Amino acid sequence: MKQSYSIVALPGDGIGVEVLNQALRVLRAAGELFQINFDIEEIECGGHYYAEHETEWPEGSFEKCKAADAILLGAVGHEVDGKTVFTKPAKPYPEPQLAGYAQVILNRRELNLYANVRPVKLYPGVKHKIHGELKQVWEPGKVDYVVIRENTEDAYTGETNDIDGGRMTPIKITRRATERVVRYAFNLARQRNKQMKVTCVDKSNIIGAHRFFREVFREIGTSEFPDIKLDYAYVDAFCQWQIRNPEWYDVVVAPNLAGDIISDNGATTAGGLGLAVGGNIGDEHAMFEPIHGSAPKHAGKDKANPLAAILSAQMMLDWLGTRHHDNRLTNAAKRVEAAVAEVLAEGKTLTYDLIGEEKASKCSEVGAAVEDRLRKLP
Ligand code: IPM
Ligand code: MN
């Protein structure tokens, strides 16, 4: 058992800072309760940092991320006077990009975090905002699948070329990257032991590179995972089925861009982006983050929903527990999830997105409520 776990915390920009604070508070409480020592280093970074320093984070930060047992990210993206700050073209992403993206894209690519694991799970009591009103639309228990998004290639290579007076961005799908991500998805279906099914979601009817993704999926599935059912969907049609019939899905695997879109769309059925979580997972490293952005217009108001960030810390605990065969972490993860579920089911101490502006609690109050439940749970 390890004496101590080193965590790099990257608050980033906007609401990322506030929600990560609440995640760290819950993480510290979990550490205390389960006698786990976390050595947490916070590194200031993101678009606001770039605006001041012309670099997105202090020198040596990437090496610190690489050396850490796990990374916890808030959100990145910064505005000045309502205008988004873009970085100059920089390695490894030669296109001008939203300042702060380096941490996300660089860590995902350079640390080989090839599987972006995004659970779509509806907790009891959670309401959805539909037609401006909060209602219970989907049924808990019928929304419980995991999107595995390939995290290193597809349209995210950063390459763009001039062509015919316009620009062209390639879609790259390699055998190596596809094999490892589809294996991750099949193994997860086995581990979940629910429907024993993996759905491949792509645009293989028109994009040749996606056809290759699907072929590799079929090949690995039939040869290595005969106990798992293979299922297929085109991403456009999938977008409506995941809303109408989410209970069909167990594990879903998709190329990068399709996975990006369907994970946000799936969040609609699970209470919105305020609750949606992503783990960027590789064989050696991992980074956990809420999948929402930095929401500059809500920043600094202690208003944003911290539950996605808290559930990211929960996912990190679970991953660390499995990786290091440390039951303290696995139990802490279970307890944090139970504490969040209690706060949701109780339906009192919630942010505006889940309860409406009039009854809304603050970001820090929701963090405190989760910590309180965590300490009281048996
Ligand atoms: C996400 C985000 C990122 C992505 C952005 C910030 C580059 O939308 O994590 O889903 O597209 O991967
Ligand atoms: Mn996204």
Side-chain angles (χ1 to χ4, degrees), residues 76 93 98 101 104-105 108 116 118 149 151 156 256-257 259-261 263-264 280 289-292:
V76 291
Y93 204 85
L98 191 63
Y101 275 25
V104 180
I105 303 290
R108 283 181 187 165
N116 195 326
R118 298 185 157 185
R149 163 186 178 192
N151 216 18
Y156 282 69
N256 208 343
L257 182 58
D260 180 36
I261 295 165
S263 53
D264 274 27
N280 301 272
E289 55 178 331
I291 77 176
H292 60 67

Side-chain angles (χ1 to χ4, degrees), residues 47-48 50-51 77-87 97-100:
H48 78 278
Y50 177 83
H78 179 58
E79 285 180 0
V80 175
D81 300 331
K83 276 205 195 120
T84 305
V85 177
F86 283 89
T87 59
Q97 52 176 314
L98 191 63

